[in-house]
Amino acid sequence: MSPPELCFRAETEDGKIVNDPSEDSVHTLIKSLALPDNSFLTIEPPDGSPAWFAVISLLPDGAYEVEYRDPARGVHDLTPENDRSRIAREVTMWLTRTCRFHERRPGLRSVTAWRSPTRLYDLLGSYWSPVAAGLGFAAVWCEGVSIEETARRLRADLSSATPCTLRGIGHGFDGDARPGDRAGIILVGEAGTWTLAVQVQEMDVTSEPALSALSRSGGRALSMGWHVNGAHRITYAVDGLVVSSAPMEKIPAPLEQHMEGLSMPGVNWDEDDEDGDFSTEEMIDTALVLAGRVTGRELDKKWLDAIHTRYVIPEGTWP
């Protein structure tokens, strides 16, 4: 008899994993949380499909915050709590209901098979909540440049290099080492033959001077970004020269060859047409698919789960 399929898996920031944890196991894992290097616990499907999760974070004041997200049901809730027993009970109940919901809808058990029009957007949002909340995101891919050299060209402080995951990017800063609100925080990691740098504070990596620097000496660089007020943009540079920088719905001409079978939402959208069916999330998702085709590796759960290198770009480094 084959073993039963896992429904969900719990993993702490420091790497402790429990498959299909019971309420008692969840309570034990919560109790083990400690600042600064084991400050959160994530519970999600073992393969990330579909992209739902619960995250329990230990806050600096000793309280907890519980985040629930399930794009298939339109769920995204943040709940403050102090009682570990109550957290364990309520999280376990939510996990059981969520798992049963997706078992009843097998077409949703695989994001890739289902091909949701926002599958990559939802996956990214499940790892970085400001994306899901529509607050913004910035990323740049550069070809043939090492992780440290990417950070150097982005004018990061190389002495700030710290191993971490995307979910842990905001944790582990001590006292005066915590960057100010205008400093840049980037996570840099290999993505096939390219290097991907994600920025979660400020948008330096999407600037034209940054792309020029990242693509010099015969390379290529591709960035995309947006913030709470919009400004969805794709920029493409080759050999130190920015060849296109335009609103996200306008695919750069040199990249059109990678758009076979894709349709960018918003191309014919009239901003004055309130009844239009323009979907910002679908537009961003299409741009992420395009980036995967250009670079040869689509943003995936493996990259989002992996430990990369965090750097800080000092405030005022970029104009």
Side-chain angles (χ1 to χ4, degrees):
M1 178 181 296
S2 60
E5 182 180 0
L6 290 177
C7 189
F8 46 83
R9 171 175 292 163
E11 182 173 1
T12 57
E13 184 182 8
D14 65 358
K16 182 176 179 58
I17 294 174
V18 177
N19 292 325
D20 283 337
S22 64
E23 180 179 330
D24 287 343
S25 297
V26 172
H27 185 277
T28 299
L29 291 172
I30 296 171
K31 191 175 181 179
S32 74
L33 297 181
L35 298 172
D37 299 322
N38 189 35
S39 60
F40 63 89
L41 161 67
T42 303
I43 310 176
E44 61 186 345
D47 60 356
S49 300
W52 58 261
F53 67 85
V55 176
I56 304 163
S57 300
L58 175 63
L59 303 178
D61 64 0
Y64 297 90
E65 180 181 76
V66 185
E67 179 179 5
Y68 301 98
R69 179 162 171 79
D70 182 5
R73 295 188 293 159
V75 173
H76 187 208
D77 298 320
L78 290 172
T79 305
E81 184 58 75
N82 293 307
D83 188 324
R84 287 194 290 261
S85 296
R86 180 178 297 175
I87 294 173
R89 180 172 62 255
E90 293 183 352
V91 166
T92 304
M93 292 172 60
W94 186 87
L95 292 168
T96 301
R97 290 195 303 268
T98 303
C99 192
R100 287 175 179 171
F101 170 84
H102 288 281
E103 286 176 344
R104 292 195 301 269
R105 301 185 67 184
L108 296 180
R109 289 191 64 81
S110 169
V111 174
T112 303
W114 181 40
R115 300 298 295 184
S116 162
T118 58
R119 63 188 179 88
L120 292 181
Y121 178 88
D122 290 338
L123 178 63
L124 180 58
S126 72
Y127 281 80
W128 187 245
S129 58
V131 171
L135 299 181
F137 186 71
V140 64
W141 291 257
C142 54
E143 183 181 31
V145 183
S146 70
I147 291 173
E148 184 173 305
E149 180 61 21
T150 297
R152 179 180 289 108
R153 295 188 190 187
L154 289 172
R155 305 179 187 175
D157 175 4
L158 299 185
S159 69
S160 68
T162 304
C164 71
T165 64
L166 179 58
R167 281 182 174 154
I169 195 170
H171 301 276
F173 290 107
D174 295 324
D176 294 338
R178 186 167 188 83
D181 292 340
R182 301 306 299 270
I185 302 176
I186 59 175
L187 187 69
V188 187
E190 293 179 352
T193 59
W194 293 56
T195 296
L196 171 58
V198 170
Q199 187 163 358
V200 300
Q201 188 166 285
E202 297 297 309
M203 299 184 68
D204 306 307
V205 302
T206 66
S207 69
E208 292 190 16
L211 269 80
S212 294
L214 290 170
S215 65
R216 68 176 183 241
S217 302
R220 293 181 290 167
L222 172 67
S223 75
M224 66 179 65
W226 66 94
H227 52 67
V228 67
N229 294 319
H232 301 79
R233 200 164 192 86
I234 293 179
T235 304
Y236 184 57
V238 179
D239 196 15
L241 178 67
V242 174
V243 298
S244 178
S245 182
M248 194 173 286
E249 66 268 22
K250 298 179 181 179
I251 297 300
L255 303 182
E256 289 180 351
Q257 60 181 307
H258 299 282
M259 286 293 291
E260 183 178 355
L262 296 177
S263 177
M264 178 61 79
V267 170
N268 299 312
W269 181 61
D270 182 353
E271 292 185 3
D272 296 324
D273 179 10
E274 296 181 356
D275 297 325
D277 58 358
F278 176 72
S279 168
T280 300
E281 292 82 2
E282 289 183 28
M283 179 181 69
I284 295 169
D285 191 276
T286 302
L288 288 168
V289 173
L290 173 64
R293 292 184 176 187
V294 173
T295 64
R297 178 177 176 181
E298 198 169 83
L299 185 66
D300 56 17
K301 188 177 185 297
K302 185 176 180 180
W303 196 95
L304 294 169
D305 274 330
I307 295 175
H308 303 294
T309 307
R310 180 184 69 197
Y311 295 91
V312 174
I313 301 176
E315 182 175 348
T317 299
W318 292 94

